[in-house]
Amino acid sequence: MPWELPLADWPGDRLSFRELPVGPSRHLVRFVEVGPVLYAFKEEPLAVAEGEFAVLRHLEDARLPAVVPAGLATDPVNGTAILATEYLAHSLQYRRLLGRFSLGPGRYRDRLLDAMAWLLVDLHRAGVYWGDCSLANTLFRRDGDLIQAFLVDAETSEVHPSLSDGQRAFDVEILVENVAFGLADLAALHDRRDDDDDAIEAAESVRDRYAVLWRELHDTPELPAGDRHAIRSRVRRLNELGFAIDEITVDPLATGGSVRLHLAVSNRDFHARELQRRTGIVALEGQARLLLNDLAEYAAWLAWSGEIDLDEEAAAERWARDVLGPTIGRLAPVIGAERDTIQAYCDVMEHKWFLSERAGVDIGLDAAISGYLERGAPAPEAGPGDATGMTLQIDWSAAIEATTDEDRSATR
């Protein structure tokens, strides 16, 4: 890289630049392909860049959802630096993600707001104060039937051993204000200025979402001594949210007959780690949860249909060979290299559920794949205005809005 030059002067005849949409930024950002990897380069004042690089390194070490830092080139003479991060594959900005669906209340927007609350909870648990949390400073990836948010701008972030309640509350207030601005800005972009009040109400809901999650993770319930079922239920609830339990502590209370339950909770990758252990497949947490459900359903079907009752390892191997592999083989030529094949498989499962509900019977995987491909393998990642995007707008988002997560889980 021509580090001796300002980023704006990097020569296009020597480097492979790509034009990608970026949100509002105080600093110049350019994208360059280096072999198979796409990097984002941002030029900043030296002190700002060094601080951001340190925070991103901390987030990488803690395995938290953020862009991955690749390096920092400093120019102490001029007091500037260029921060290099890896481009987050399969990611979308909020404008493109929400621009493909109704701007008003709905399940898809709720998932995006949940993702923002989840991200801030993850950061705060790790002692990271964001300082400028907003939709514009976040990238999103579809994660099975959910959305996952990733921090992409850490210019104002700070790392502490832990955060006080005041620091957390102030960060949440910044998030609420910025989310309201982002949603109102998107409504104005689509000439929907009457949605300003709704944008404020939606942003306020992020505070409640954050509070519910924080309480869930830090609750220390009082339980009857020896009530192992209550402990199992609490652990199972956190596992369902994606958290593994590192340590369980039971403290007797002075009143006698009761105990206080304390759970040390790890990162939100319980299902992702379990899927990788069983199959070697690396996936996001929501994707992994759906794939593990699909694997369990397949193993149960084998046993019910008279096949040999396979152990866990053999069932996973057969599912990957006979179900996942062939399906991805049919999807890959259609969706292309730019799309996430694991997410496309999750989309097929969602499509199968929708068509089966409409038909009143299980239509089978093969019919679901064919129907999905006939519609152009729809996804928000598809280019704006193309046929696949329009198909998604008409068929699939309506299905998402009309059903509940409980319904989908039950029919899988």
Side-chain angles (χ1 to χ4, degrees), residues 85-138:
T85 58
E86 293 183 21
Y87 176 75
L88 181 62
H90 316 303
S91 62
L92 293 166
Q93 292 181 324
Y94 81 98
R95 286 188 176 188
R96 184 172 181 186
L97 185 62
L98 287 184
R100 309 302 296 277
F101 294 91
S102 170
L103 296 180
R107 189 166 297 278
Y108 221 82
R109 191 183 70 177
D110 282 345
R111 291 173 181 176
L112 181 137
L113 297 176
D114 282 339
M116 292 299 297
W118 272 117
L119 176 57
L120 201 58
V121 166
D122 286 340
L123 296 176
H124 287 177
R125 290 181 63 240
V128 178
Y129 172 79
W130 193 347
D132 192 17
C133 32
S134 67
L135 295 172
N137 288 338
T138 311

Side-chain angles (χ1 to χ4, degrees), residues 63 241-244 266-274 285:
R63 296 183 294 112
L241 291 173
F243 293 96
S266 69
N267 282 354
R268 189 160 39 102
D269 57 2
F270 173 76
H271 298 97
R273 285 194 289 179
E274 180 66 10
E285 173 63 19

